[in-house]
Short mmCIF file of all heavy atoms in Angstrom, two decimals:
data_model
loop_
_atom_site.label_atom_id
_atom_site.label_comp_id
_atom_site.label_asym_id
_atom_site.label_seq_id
_atom_site.Cartn_x
_atom_site.Cartn_y
_atom_site.Cartn_z
N ASN S 1 5.69 28.47 0.98
CA ASN S 1 6.59 27.32 1.02
C ASN S 1 5.80 26.08 0.57
O ASN S 1 5.55 25.15 1.36
CB ASN S 1 7.16 27.13 2.42
CG ASN S 1 8.37 26.22 2.43
OD1 ASN S 1 8.78 25.72 1.40
ND2 ASN S 1 8.94 26.01 3.60
N TYR S 2 5.42 26.07 -0.71
CA TYR S 2 4.62 24.96 -1.22
C TYR S 2 5.42 23.66 -1.30
O TYR S 2 4.86 22.58 -1.14
CB TYR S 2 4.07 25.30 -2.61
CG TYR S 2 3.05 26.40 -2.62
CD1 TYR S 2 3.18 27.50 -3.44
CD2 TYR S 2 1.91 26.31 -1.82
CE1 TYR S 2 2.22 28.51 -3.46
CE2 TYR S 2 0.95 27.31 -1.82
CZ TYR S 2 1.12 28.40 -2.64
OH TYR S 2 0.17 29.39 -2.65
N GLN S 3 6.71 23.78 -1.59
CA GLN S 3 7.52 22.59 -1.79
C GLN S 3 7.55 21.71 -0.54
O GLN S 3 7.50 20.48 -0.62
CB GLN S 3 8.94 22.98 -2.20
CG GLN S 3 9.82 21.84 -2.68
CD GLN S 3 9.32 21.24 -3.99
OE1 GLN S 3 8.67 21.92 -4.78
NE2 GLN S 3 9.61 19.97 -4.20
N ARG S 4 7.64 22.36 0.61
CA ARG S 4 7.70 21.60 1.86
C ARG S 4 6.40 20.83 2.10
O ARG S 4 6.42 19.64 2.46
CB ARG S 4 7.97 22.55 3.02
CG ARG S 4 8.06 21.88 4.37
CD ARG S 4 8.38 22.90 5.45
NE ARG S 4 8.44 22.27 6.76
CZ ARG S 4 8.68 22.94 7.89
NH1 ARG S 4 8.90 24.24 7.85
NH2 ARG S 4 8.73 22.30 9.03
N THR S 5 5.26 21.50 1.89
CA THR S 5 3.98 20.83 2.07
C THR S 5 3.79 19.72 1.05
O THR S 5 3.28 18.64 1.36
CB THR S 5 2.83 21.84 1.96
OG1 THR S 5 3.04 22.89 2.90
CG2 THR S 5 1.49 21.18 2.23
N ARG S 6 4.23 19.97 -0.19
CA ARG S 6 4.10 18.96 -1.23
C ARG S 6 4.90 17.71 -0.88
O ARG S 6 4.40 16.58 -1.00
CB ARG S 6 4.58 19.55 -2.56
CG ARG S 6 4.54 18.58 -3.74
CD ARG S 6 5.18 19.24 -4.95
NE ARG S 6 5.29 18.34 -6.07
CZ ARG S 6 4.40 18.22 -7.04
NH1 ARG S 6 3.29 18.93 -7.01
NH2 ARG S 6 4.58 17.38 -8.04
N MET S 7 6.14 17.89 -0.44
CA MET S 7 6.97 16.74 -0.08
C MET S 7 6.41 16.01 1.14
O MET S 7 6.46 14.79 1.23
CB MET S 7 8.40 17.20 0.19
CG MET S 7 9.16 17.65 -1.05
SD MET S 7 9.42 16.32 -2.25
CE MET S 7 8.13 16.68 -3.46
N LYS S 8 5.88 16.78 2.08
CA LYS S 8 5.31 16.18 3.29
C LYS S 8 4.19 15.22 2.94
O LYS S 8 4.16 14.06 3.42
CB LYS S 8 4.81 17.29 4.21
CG LYS S 8 4.02 16.81 5.41
CD LYS S 8 3.49 18.00 6.19
CE LYS S 8 2.58 17.57 7.34
NZ LYS S 8 2.04 18.73 8.09
N TYR S 9 3.26 15.64 2.10
CA TYR S 9 2.13 14.79 1.78
C TYR S 9 2.45 13.78 0.69
O TYR S 9 1.79 12.74 0.60
CB TYR S 9 0.93 15.66 1.38
CG TYR S 9 0.28 16.29 2.58
CD1 TYR S 9 0.58 17.60 2.95
CD2 TYR S 9 -0.58 15.57 3.39
CE1 TYR S 9 0.02 18.17 4.07
CE2 TYR S 9 -1.15 16.14 4.51
CZ TYR S 9 -0.84 17.43 4.85
OH TYR S 9 -1.40 17.99 5.98
N PHE S 10 3.46 14.06 -0.13
CA PHE S 10 3.87 13.06 -1.11
C PHE S 10 4.48 11.84 -0.42
O PHE S 10 4.06 10.70 -0.65
CB PHE S 10 4.87 13.67 -2.11
CG PHE S 10 5.47 12.67 -3.05
CD1 PHE S 10 4.73 12.18 -4.11
CD2 PHE S 10 6.76 12.19 -2.85
CE1 PHE S 10 5.28 11.24 -4.98
CE2 PHE S 10 7.32 11.26 -3.71
CZ PHE S 10 6.57 10.78 -4.78
N TYR S 11 5.46 12.09 0.43
CA TYR S 11 6.10 10.97 1.14
C TYR S 11 5.14 10.32 2.13
O TYR S 11 5.16 9.08 2.31
CB TYR S 11 7.36 11.44 1.86
CG TYR S 11 8.49 11.78 0.92
CD1 TYR S 11 8.99 13.08 0.82
CD2 TYR S 11 9.07 10.80 0.12
CE1 TYR S 11 10.02 13.39 -0.05
CE2 TYR S 11 10.11 11.10 -0.75
CZ TYR S 11 10.58 12.39 -0.84
OH TYR S 11 11.60 12.70 -1.70
N GLY S 12 4.31 11.13 2.77
CA GLY S 12 3.32 10.55 3.68
C GLY S 12 2.34 9.65 2.95
O GLY S 12 2.00 8.56 3.43
N THR S 13 1.89 10.09 1.76
CA THR S 13 0.98 9.27 0.97
C THR S 13 1.64 7.98 0.53
O THR S 13 1.03 6.89 0.57
CB THR S 13 0.50 10.06 -0.26
OG1 THR S 13 -0.13 11.27 0.17
CG2 THR S 13 -0.49 9.24 -1.06
N MET S 14 2.89 8.06 0.10
CA MET S 14 3.60 6.87 -0.36
C MET S 14 3.81 5.87 0.79
O MET S 14 3.58 4.67 0.63
CB MET S 14 4.95 7.27 -0.95
CG MET S 14 4.87 8.08 -2.24
SD MET S 14 4.06 7.21 -3.60
CE MET S 14 2.45 8.05 -3.62
N ILE S 15 4.23 6.36 1.95
CA ILE S 15 4.52 5.45 3.06
C ILE S 15 3.25 4.81 3.60
O ILE S 15 3.16 3.58 3.75
CB ILE S 15 5.27 6.22 4.18
CG1 ILE S 15 6.65 6.67 3.68
CG2 ILE S 15 5.41 5.34 5.42
CD1 ILE S 15 7.38 7.56 4.65
N VAL S 16 2.25 5.64 3.88
CA VAL S 16 1.00 5.09 4.44
C VAL S 16 0.29 4.23 3.40
O VAL S 16 -0.27 3.17 3.73
CB VAL S 16 0.10 6.23 4.93
CG1 VAL S 16 -1.22 5.68 5.46
CG2 VAL S 16 0.80 7.03 6.03
N GLY S 17 0.31 4.66 2.13
CA GLY S 17 -0.31 3.85 1.09
C GLY S 17 0.37 2.50 0.92
O GLY S 17 -0.29 1.47 0.71
N PHE S 18 1.69 2.49 1.02
CA PHE S 18 2.42 1.23 0.95
C PHE S 18 2.03 0.31 2.12
O PHE S 18 1.88 -0.90 1.94
CB PHE S 18 3.93 1.49 0.96
CG PHE S 18 4.76 0.25 1.05
CD1 PHE S 18 4.97 -0.54 -0.07
CD2 PHE S 18 5.33 -0.14 2.26
CE1 PHE S 18 5.74 -1.71 0.02
CE2 PHE S 18 6.10 -1.30 2.36
CZ PHE S 18 6.30 -2.08 1.22
N CYS S 19 1.87 0.88 3.31
CA CYS S 19 1.49 0.08 4.47
C CYS S 19 0.10 -0.52 4.28
O CYS S 19 -0.12 -1.72 4.51
CB CYS S 19 1.54 0.93 5.73
SG CYS S 19 3.19 1.44 6.24
N PHE S 20 -0.87 0.31 3.87
CA PHE S 20 -2.22 -0.20 3.64
C PHE S 20 -2.21 -1.30 2.59
O PHE S 20 -2.83 -2.36 2.77
CB PHE S 20 -3.14 0.95 3.18
CG PHE S 20 -3.90 1.60 4.30
CD1 PHE S 20 -3.54 2.85 4.76
CD2 PHE S 20 -4.99 0.99 4.87
CE1 PHE S 20 -4.23 3.47 5.79
CE2 PHE S 20 -5.70 1.59 5.89
CZ PHE S 20 -5.32 2.84 6.35
N THR S 21 -1.51 -1.06 1.48
CA THR S 21 -1.51 -2.03 0.38
C THR S 21 -0.82 -3.33 0.77
O THR S 21 -1.36 -4.43 0.55
CB THR S 21 -0.81 -1.42 -0.84
OG1 THR S 21 -1.46 -0.20 -1.21
CG2 THR S 21 -0.86 -2.37 -2.02
N SER S 22 0.36 -3.24 1.36
CA SER S 22 1.12 -4.44 1.70
C SER S 22 0.42 -5.26 2.78
O SER S 22 0.35 -6.49 2.70
CB SER S 22 2.53 -4.06 2.14
OG SER S 22 2.49 -3.21 3.28
N PHE S 23 -0.14 -4.59 3.79
CA PHE S 23 -0.82 -5.32 4.86
C PHE S 23 -2.07 -6.03 4.32
O PHE S 23 -2.34 -7.18 4.68
CB PHE S 23 -1.22 -4.37 5.98
CG PHE S 23 -0.06 -3.76 6.71
CD1 PHE S 23 -0.24 -2.68 7.55
CD2 PHE S 23 1.22 -4.24 6.53
CE1 PHE S 23 0.84 -2.10 8.22
CE2 PHE S 23 2.30 -3.68 7.19
CZ PHE S 23 2.11 -2.60 8.03
N SER S 24 -2.81 -5.36 3.45
CA SER S 24 -4.03 -5.96 2.90
C SER S 24 -3.71 -7.14 1.99
O SER S 24 -4.32 -8.21 2.08
CB SER S 24 -4.83 -4.90 2.13
OG SER S 24 -5.18 -3.82 2.98
N LEU S 25 -2.74 -6.96 1.09
CA LEU S 25 -2.36 -8.06 0.19
C LEU S 25 -1.81 -9.24 0.98
O LEU S 25 -2.15 -10.40 0.69
CB LEU S 25 -1.31 -7.56 -0.81
CG LEU S 25 -1.79 -6.58 -1.89
CD1 LEU S 25 -0.61 -6.09 -2.72
CD2 LEU S 25 -2.82 -7.24 -2.80
N SER S 26 -0.97 -8.98 1.97
CA SER S 26 -0.39 -10.07 2.76
C SER S 26 -1.45 -10.83 3.53
O SER S 26 -1.41 -12.07 3.63
CB SER S 26 0.66 -9.51 3.72
OG SER S 26 1.68 -8.82 3.02
N LEU S 27 -2.43 -10.11 4.09
CA LEU S 27 -3.49 -10.77 4.85
C LEU S 27 -4.31 -11.69 3.96
O LEU S 27 -4.63 -12.82 4.34
CB LEU S 27 -4.38 -9.73 5.51
CG LEU S 27 -5.55 -10.25 6.35
CD1 LEU S 27 -5.03 -11.05 7.54
CD2 LEU S 27 -6.43 -9.10 6.83
N ILE S 28 -4.64 -11.26 2.74
CA ILE S 28 -5.44 -12.07 1.84
C ILE S 28 -4.66 -13.29 1.36
O ILE S 28 -5.15 -14.43 1.41
CB ILE S 28 -5.93 -11.23 0.65
CG1 ILE S 28 -6.91 -10.15 1.12
CG2 ILE S 28 -6.59 -12.12 -0.40
CD1 ILE S 28 -8.16 -10.68 1.76
N PHE S 29 -3.43 -13.08 0.91
CA PHE S 29 -2.64 -14.21 0.41
C PHE S 29 -2.34 -15.23 1.50
O PHE S 29 -2.29 -16.44 1.23
CB PHE S 29 -1.34 -13.70 -0.21
CG PHE S 29 -1.51 -13.13 -1.59
CD1 PHE S 29 -1.22 -11.79 -1.85
CD2 PHE S 29 -1.95 -13.92 -2.64
CE1 PHE S 29 -1.39 -11.26 -3.11
CE2 PHE S 29 -2.12 -13.39 -3.92
CZ PHE S 29 -1.84 -12.06 -4.16
N ASP S 30 -2.14 -14.77 2.73
CA ASP S 30 -1.88 -15.71 3.81
C ASP S 30 -3.14 -16.44 4.22
O ASP S 30 -3.09 -17.61 4.63
CB ASP S 30 -1.29 -14.97 5.01
CG ASP S 30 -0.93 -15.91 6.15
OD1 ASP S 30 0.09 -16.61 6.04
OD2 ASP S 30 -1.69 -15.96 7.14
N THR S 31 -4.29 -15.80 4.11
CA THR S 31 -5.55 -16.44 4.49
C THR S 31 -5.98 -17.49 3.48
O THR S 31 -6.54 -18.52 3.84
CB THR S 31 -6.64 -15.37 4.65
OG1 THR S 31 -6.22 -14.38 5.60
CG2 THR S 31 -7.94 -15.99 5.15
N VAL S 32 -5.72 -17.23 2.19
CA VAL S 32 -6.16 -18.15 1.15
C VAL S 32 -5.46 -19.50 1.28
O VAL S 32 -6.08 -20.57 1.22
CB VAL S 32 -5.90 -17.53 -0.24
CG1 VAL S 32 -6.13 -18.56 -1.34
CG2 VAL S 32 -6.83 -16.34 -0.45
N ARG S 33 -4.12 -19.49 1.44
CA ARG S 33 -3.34 -20.71 1.66
C ARG S 33 -3.58 -21.78 0.60
O ARG S 33 -3.75 -22.97 0.90
CB ARG S 33 -3.65 -21.31 3.04
CG ARG S 33 -3.17 -20.45 4.19
CD ARG S 33 -3.23 -21.20 5.48
NE ARG S 33 -2.70 -20.39 6.58
CZ ARG S 33 -2.53 -20.84 7.82
NH1 ARG S 33 -2.86 -22.09 8.11
NH2 ARG S 33 -2.04 -20.06 8.76
N CYS S 34 -3.62 -21.38 -0.63
CA CYS S 34 -3.85 -22.34 -1.70
C CYS S 34 -3.37 -21.74 -3.01
O CYS S 34 -3.67 -20.57 -3.31
CB CYS S 34 -5.33 -22.71 -1.79
SG CYS S 34 -5.71 -23.92 -3.07
N ASN S 35 -2.64 -22.54 -3.79
CA ASN S 35 -2.18 -22.08 -5.10
C ASN S 35 -3.23 -22.26 -6.18
O ASN S 35 -3.08 -21.74 -7.29
CB ASN S 35 -0.91 -22.85 -5.49
CG ASN S 35 0.26 -22.53 -4.57
OD1 ASN S 35 0.38 -21.40 -4.09
ND2 ASN S 35 1.11 -23.52 -4.32
N CYS S 36 -4.28 -23.00 -5.87
CA CYS S 36 -5.35 -23.18 -6.85
C CYS S 36 -6.24 -21.94 -6.88
O CYS S 36 -6.37 -21.21 -5.90
CB CYS S 36 -6.18 -24.41 -6.50
SG CYS S 36 -6.86 -24.36 -4.82
N GLY S 37 -6.87 -21.71 -8.01
CA GLY S 37 -7.74 -20.54 -8.14
C GLY S 37 -6.99 -19.24 -8.04
O GLY S 37 -7.42 -18.32 -7.33
N LEU S 38 -5.84 -19.16 -8.72
CA LEU S 38 -5.02 -17.95 -8.64
C LEU S 38 -5.75 -16.70 -9.14
O LEU S 38 -5.63 -15.63 -8.53
CB LEU S 38 -3.71 -18.15 -9.40
CG LEU S 38 -2.70 -17.01 -9.31
CD1 LEU S 38 -2.28 -16.76 -7.87
CD2 LEU S 38 -1.48 -17.31 -10.18
N PRO S 39 -6.52 -16.76 -10.25
CA PRO S 39 -7.25 -15.54 -10.69
C PRO S 39 -8.21 -15.00 -9.63
O PRO S 39 -8.26 -13.79 -9.40
CB PRO S 39 -7.99 -16.02 -11.94
CG PRO S 39 -7.18 -17.15 -12.46
CD PRO S 39 -6.66 -17.85 -11.24
N SER S 40 -8.96 -15.88 -8.97
CA SER S 40 -9.88 -15.41 -7.93
C SER S 40 -9.13 -14.86 -6.73
O SER S 40 -9.58 -13.90 -6.08
CB SER S 40 -10.81 -16.54 -7.50
OG SER S 40 -10.05 -17.63 -6.96
N THR S 41 -7.97 -15.45 -6.43
CA THR S 41 -7.15 -14.93 -5.32
C THR S 41 -6.64 -13.54 -5.62
O THR S 41 -6.68 -12.64 -4.77
CB THR S 41 -5.97 -15.88 -5.05
OG1 THR S 41 -6.47 -17.18 -4.73
CG2 THR S 41 -5.13 -15.37 -3.89
N LEU S 42 -6.14 -13.33 -6.84
CA LEU S 42 -5.65 -12.00 -7.23
C LEU S 42 -6.78 -10.99 -7.24
O LEU S 42 -6.60 -9.84 -6.79
CB LEU S 42 -4.98 -12.08 -8.61
CG LEU S 42 -3.68 -12.88 -8.70
CD1 LEU S 42 -3.20 -12.97 -10.13
CD2 LEU S 42 -2.60 -12.23 -7.83
N LEU S 43 -7.94 -11.40 -7.76
CA LEU S 43 -9.09 -10.48 -7.77
C LEU S 43 -9.49 -10.10 -6.36
O LEU S 43 -9.77 -8.92 -6.07
CB LEU S 43 -10.25 -11.13 -8.51
CG LEU S 43 -11.55 -10.31 -8.61
CD1 LEU S 43 -11.29 -9.01 -9.37
CD2 LEU S 43 -12.65 -11.12 -9.29
#
C-alpha cells in the first residue's frame, strides 16, 4: 500500500513545511520593523 504512505508523508511534509516557513518568515519580518533595506531583509 505505497499510495497511503506516499500521501501521508506528502501532506505531512507540506503542512509541517508550511508551518516552519511561515513562522520563520513572520518572525523575521516582524522583528525587522523597517521598510528600508528590503534586499537585506529578504536575504
Side-chain angles (χ1 to χ4, degrees):
N1 196 359
Y2 292 127
Q3 190 66 27
R4 180 178 179 181
T5 304
R6 179 186 174 93
M7 289 296 101
K8 172 184 175 181
Y9 284 97
F10 173 76
Y11 289 116
T13 302
M14 294 299 104
I15 294 174
V16 178
F18 173 79
C19 292
F20 266 106
T21 303
S22 60
F23 295 166
S24 301
L25 289 175
S26 301
L27 180 63
I28 294 298
F29 282 117
D30 183 75
T31 304
V32 170
R33 292 192 177 186
C34 181
N35 294 326
C36 55
L38 185 60
S40 61
T41 302
L42 293 175
L43 179 61

